[in-house]
Amino acid sequence: MNKVELRDRFFNRYKGLIRTEMIPYQWKVLNDEIDITIERERNDDSIPNEKSHVIENFRIAAGRKKGNHYGWVFQDSDLYKWLEAAAYTLREKMDEELKCLADDVVDLISEAQEENGYLDTYFTIEEPDQKYKRLWESHELYCAGHFIEAAVAYYEAVGNQKVLKTACKLADHIDSVFGDEDGKIHGYDGHEEVEIGLMRLYRLTQNERYLKLARYFLFVRGTDCDAMNSKHLPLAYYQAHLPVLEQDTAEGHAVRLVYLCTAMADAACETGDEKLLSACRRLWKSIVNRRMYITGGIGSTVSGEAFTLDYDLPNDTMYCETCASVGLVFFAYRMLMTEEKGEYGDVMERVLYNTVLGGVALDGKHFFYVNPLEVVPGKSSKDPLKSHVKCVRPQWLGCACCPPNLARLLASVEQYVFVQKKNKLFVNLFVECKGSFEIEDGILEIELKTGYPWDGCVEIKLNYSGTASVCLGIRVPSWSDTFDAEINHESTAFETKDGFIYINQVFKEDTIHLKLDMGAKRWYAHPMVENDLGKFAVTRGPFVYCLEEADNGKNLHLLSVEKQEPFEYEFEETLLGGVGIITASGWKAEADQEEEGLYRKSDSAVKKVKTKIKWIPYYSWANRGENEMRVWVREDNLC
Ligand code: FUB
Ligand code: ZN
């Protein structure tokens, strides 16, 4: 863990929400204490939606209560992610009440753990004889991975020994059951995650067995093993169609793929495995150059919550699960740890400020599972093929993987600002914070001051106690067409490489100023993205913008803007918690719905009226009730 203290106005609002709203609220939901509507993630009557029952499942598995398991087979992980978010919150500021609750959760989890280290409430309660027998769907190791991640975070935050002991006991148990050796199960989980947990446990304990086991799970995937003889699921769904080193394209379930990539990058970083790193690079390119939405969403179809084909990016039927974007942030950060390339930071920022933040309502208590780029409320509610596309964030979901995932990422956002590699320090995000790093023979204190994400001026103050030369790399976002940088108020020709500017010197007390280009910009998709052809999207700084019915009226598809039309920007303090809005003059085509006849031979009769068009940041949409939204807007070359 980096020592970084967040002081950022924008993200501190989220941190406050996590502490005061999300964590207490999510606890109440997981503990069935609150009367809310739990929505199914799509129209499918088999999806559980009566209650969460997560904590109750643990009580039953621990023998404190009698009863049956209820809910998805993998939902122990909801509690683990909650614990991880609580850990980051406590690390930032101690709160005895929350710590007591989290300590009790640790006690409960360790009671639910079986003597030999096995931990999974579903199989302990319902099908003990089926343990590890349905690996492609059982999620036992997926849940284990989430527990291990939470345990590492909680141990690091408050020093709770029991949580670490429980996690090591679980990891040791898994290690005794899985592996290459005769007599062990040769297999892996259908949902990647245990690999990430094991890598974190390895980093904390330096126990080589955990690294070895993580690598085992990575490399056995896609090889022929008896334990993985599912007749039901296509292998690519869980990235098992090929050994990972041979995978070139992002296939299958999007969350799984990015969790796999995160662990691959982790292992590559830790071991210097060049082949593994090359596979990470190929999968990265496949995602970000051909299969990612401008908002940083991934997963083009509800069917299998999955990637489809290159450039297949429909805006209104897509999936773009919040968890997939959370996972893409993890992957991007691991790539930044391995390679000094600003593009990883660019994507990390895009995903974080758009799809991740869009996953939660401004009140911290409503969440999107699926993050569309275009909705028309009537269509989503009538069309069963769009039943997953909600127009407002539900209070909770039958499958509640996203809300606590988002909470654990936002609760630790300051961890993504810097990467340290020996005597090099990289600044990846522009978030007000103060960090402290041991570099060579001294401590480098670094403080970022900025009005980002609304303002592009960043001041970086450094104070180094050592005598060695330190290399500071500062990411210059690729969206910034120009930038100015100076050190101690003097302009210098900074070395620039792969999206970073570099300053290499013996720092004392120094100040760097960076000014980014915060103009609103138009973006066009690759012409192969058929859904976006003839349309543009607007960005400003890290934000992607969208139109909402609340500002522009119904039928957003009738709006168009001429190519040369300039944008105006204004910060509206009272709108949506304070957002920068963009306006431009545009056209609205008239569409008389009284008119007879659906088709016509000429469109010359379509009249347009001048109108002012208003964009809001994508993350802030759907906070004013059900209404239309769209990111891609028609460009009008004819008027
Ligand atoms: O399977 C566990 C989680 O539930 C996945 O990551 C999500 O996509 C949802 O299917
Ligand atoms: Zn999710």
Side-chain angles (χ1 to χ4, degrees), residues 37 97 99 126 172 249 309 330 476 516 598:
T37 307
E97 208 181 313
K99 180 172 174 294
E126 299 294 339
D172 293 344
T249 52
L309 297 170
F330 296 157
V476 177
L516 300 170
L598 191 51

Side-chain angles (χ1 to χ4, degrees), residues 74 139 142 191 253 255-256 305 319 321 323 369 399 401:
F74 48 78
H139 287 74
Y142 164 87
H191 198 315
H253 186 271
V255 183
R256 294 172 200 235
E305 308 178 309
Y319 211 61
E321 180 179 341
C323 282
Y369 187 124
C399 171
C401 48

Side-chain angles (χ1 to χ4, degrees), residues 479-496:
W479 49 255
S480 184
D481 292 340
T482 56
F483 72 92
D484 287 325
E486 48 183 47
I487 179 159
N488 300 327
H489 299 289
E490 279 180 29
S491 301
T492 323
F494 292 103
E495 185 200 334
T496 324

